[in-house]
Amino acid sequence: MLRASGFKYGLSIALLWASNAGATSVPSLSFEELTDHSELIVTGQVVRAWPDWDGEHKFIWTHYELSVSGAQKDSPGATVVVSEPGGVVGIQGMAIAGAVAYQTGERVLVFLQRMPNGYLRTTGWSQGKFTVDNAERLHAGTSLGAPEVVSTPKGAVAATPLRTLEGITVAELRARVAARLKLQGGVQ
């Protein structure tokens, strides 16, 4: 039995490594698209993380609980759970190239969209996650596992590039979101 367990463990690690070797390409989103596609936009601090199987026991997701300090779109409760595909449960692991990772203690502003399984996930992969510094300024995250963001097709409507959000304050972003929602006839 130990031999079979060792084989399963080695196979799990090999599959985890192999799946990390791939790349994920996602379309470049504008500020308007990121806002429109998000159910929630919140500021908060990551207070805990845990991996678990989905309800059908097919996929592993890592869940991150955020203590909400502010809401830019919609009205969440005191906490929000952000779920990203991948993680390790026991000796079984699953990795998705480009999946967004969060760290306990990290202060973030996130754009979140609802997945078909009911989970809230970062909109536009890493494009929807910004760290918040002590001066309440936003910074786009980058990592080795980040997805390749491909440009918008030629002829697409011009929109506000996400790079314009780098370094603005949370209050400035809140004002931009409010203006976008008002333009769309939405409710904050």
Side-chain angles (χ1 to χ4, degrees), residues 101-133:
Y102 293 84
Q103 301 298 317
T104 301
E106 183 177 36
R107 293 180 60 221
V108 295
L109 181 138
V110 290
F111 292 74
L112 302 171
Q113 68 183 120
R114 182 96 36 205
M115 295 289 96
N117 64 5
Y119 293 156
L120 284 170
R121 182 169 180 211
T122 311
T123 307
W125 297 71
S126 60
Q127 296 174 85
K129 178 190 176 194
F130 294 84
T131 58
V132 179
D133 67 20

Side-chain angles (χ1 to χ4, degrees), residues 8 21 41 50 56-57 59-60 64 86 93 103 130 138 172:
K8 282 174 94 176
I41 304 172
W50 69 98
E56 296 178 3
H57 202 80
F59 302 104
I60 297 173
Y64 304 94
Q103 301 298 317
F130 294 84
L138 304 180
E172 290 169 326

